[in-house]
Amino acid sequence: MTDLLMNGRWQQSVLSRRTLLRGAAASMAVPAVMRTTGALAQEKLAGSGQVVVYSYGGSFTDGVRRYVYEPFTKATGIKVVDVVADLSEPQVKAMHQAGRIDWDIAYVQPQNYPPMQEAGMFEPIDYSLWDEESLTGTPPRSRLKDAVAIFSVGMVLAYDQRSFSQAGPQNWADFWNVKKFAGPRGLYASEATRNMVSALLADGAASKEIWPLTNDKIDRALKKLTEIKPYITKWWTAGGEPIQLLTNREYAMTNAYDGRVLAVIRQGVPIKMVWDGVYIRPNYATILKGGPNIANAQRLIAFLNRAQIAAGWTQATGYPGPNMNQLDHLPPDLIPLLNINPEYASKAVFEESAWLAATRPDGKTNADHLQERWLAWRTQ
């Protein structure tokens, strides 16, 4: 969806992220029924049997099943069996160690991808099965050798429009400007990275200057965060919390997950998203090496990255996949609320997950180090 290191480091927030994904899907307006025809699925994707796919469960899986999996089965003859688990990574690692792989596709957090990839857990993606519209619409950063970005979550600045008689905050510098933009504020309590990035942007750093988050940048970010700390009336921990506090007017502004904000905007709640400085984190789909139905898994990955199917995924979940050509199949009023809107690319900070997962000389990952600095600062 990610927000504390896994295996005791990021586990708490990933559970929260699973909840927020379910909540966003549940709150979305029902997407238009996708018209799947025999022509949509090229003959090379036809097959038989099944494919076993990990998912988050709840309304998220219900939406994906209806607008991706069922059209896939209708077009190809391949049945999709979805399995639900709190976290995919521990299950995938356990299956790898046991030498028995029961799943075909798993969604993997970006900071966990590098070590799992190095351990040989994933099958290379067969991009020859992709249609031209999928290849041209999906940026190279989203098409790795053995993983594909399946959806992205943006952390945005969100504000209550009722709190400002004129224009509200337009960037993170405005979030820090407590005189011009008065009102109670919130920030996400549990994770270092996105808060530090917002602080650097508020301090005048350009998005292209963020990575790597060297020690001097960490010091700079924490100094800036110290300025705003007295004005944070509540540090939120669950994905739905900032939305509820904005709706109840207990916050004037806060950071929040874009899919959560999108859902309530479409319900008429007067909350606005600020895309300048949005922090975008991808989530990867991987095909597990040794899985029981690898060929069918390749077909499903190719299918769900088609522009029209990707649009169905986006409408069903609230979190878009990377294929920009899906914009041709989405309602025009939805596009400004999505982090794949091309107008936002120059304003966004895209996560450098490889750097976060890299090991420091002390044996800790960069993400570990950031988290330690963050927790020490939070307790001051």
Side-chain angles (χ1 to χ4, degrees), residues 39-45 126-138 143 298-299 301-310 323 325-326 329:
L40 180 61
Q42 299 175 9
E43 185 177 346
K44 62 185 176 184
L45 297 187
D126 185 358
Y127 290 106
S128 70
L129 294 176
W130 287 38
D131 63 19
E132 187 64 22
E133 195 176 32
S134 298
L135 292 170
T136 58
T138 305
R143 293 187 278 112
Q298 296 282 9
R299 294 182 177 105
I301 292 293
F303 184 82
L304 64 82
N305 279 282
R306 288 194 168 126
Q308 187 175 351
I309 301 301
N323 188 342
N325 287 323
Q326 71 175 284
H329 304 280

Side-chain angles (χ1 to χ4, degrees), residues 164-356:
F164 304 98
S165 58
Q166 299 180 357
Q170 301 301 306
N171 51 47
W172 285 108
D174 289 347
F175 184 90
W176 259 255
N177 190 339
V178 296
K179 292 183 178 179
K180 183 176 180 180
F181 300 98
R185 286 154 161 77
L187 284 175
Y188 181 42
S190 304
E191 187 206 335
T193 310
R194 290 182 281 205
N195 286 316
M196 288 187 182
V197 167
S198 297
L200 289 171
L201 295 172
D203 201 45
S207 57
K208 63 182 179 181
E209 299 172 344
I210 296 298
W211 306 104
L213 284 173
T214 53
N215 284 331
D216 61 319
K217 293 179 186 176
I218 296 172
D219 293 340
R220 179 182 173 186
L222 293 177
K223 181 179 179 181
K224 191 68 175 176
L225 282 159
T226 299
E227 294 178 13
I228 201 66
K229 195 175 187 180
Y231 302 95
I232 304 301
T233 56
K234 181 174 177 58
W235 296 84
W236 61 269
T237 56
E241 193 175 2
I243 308 305
Q244 190 62 51
L245 292 169
L246 282 170
T247 302
N248 294 345
R249 309 194 74 171
E250 296 177 59
Y251 279 163
M253 64 185 81
T254 181
N255 58 1
Y257 296 112
D258 57 347
R260 285 281 194 174
V261 185
L262 183 158
V264 296
I265 288 175
R266 288 172 67 86
Q267 295 172 7
V269 179
I271 297 175
K272 190 172 180 62
M273 286 188 277
V274 176
W275 293 100
D276 193 340
V278 57
Y279 185 105
I280 297 180
R281 173 174 289 162
N283 293 265
Y284 294 138
T286 61
I287 298 176
L288 303 184
K289 186 178 290 292
N293 308 284
I294 289 176
N296 286 343
Q298 296 282 9
R299 294 182 177 105
L300 178 56
I301 292 293
F303 184 82
L304 64 82
N305 279 282
R306 288 194 168 126
Q308 187 175 351
I309 301 301
W313 174 288
T314 298
Q315 292 182 88
T317 68
Y319 292 94
N323 188 342
M324 299 294 289
N325 287 323
Q326 71 175 284
L327 297 174
D328 296 334
H329 304 280
L330 289 169
D333 64 336
L334 179 61
I335 294 173
L337 303 176
L338 299 174
N339 61 49
I340 58 166
N341 187 326
E343 295 181 11
Y344 304 148
S346 63
K347 306 174 183 180
V349 175
F350 294 92
E351 180 170 273
E352 292 283 350
S353 53
W355 181 85
L356 289 169

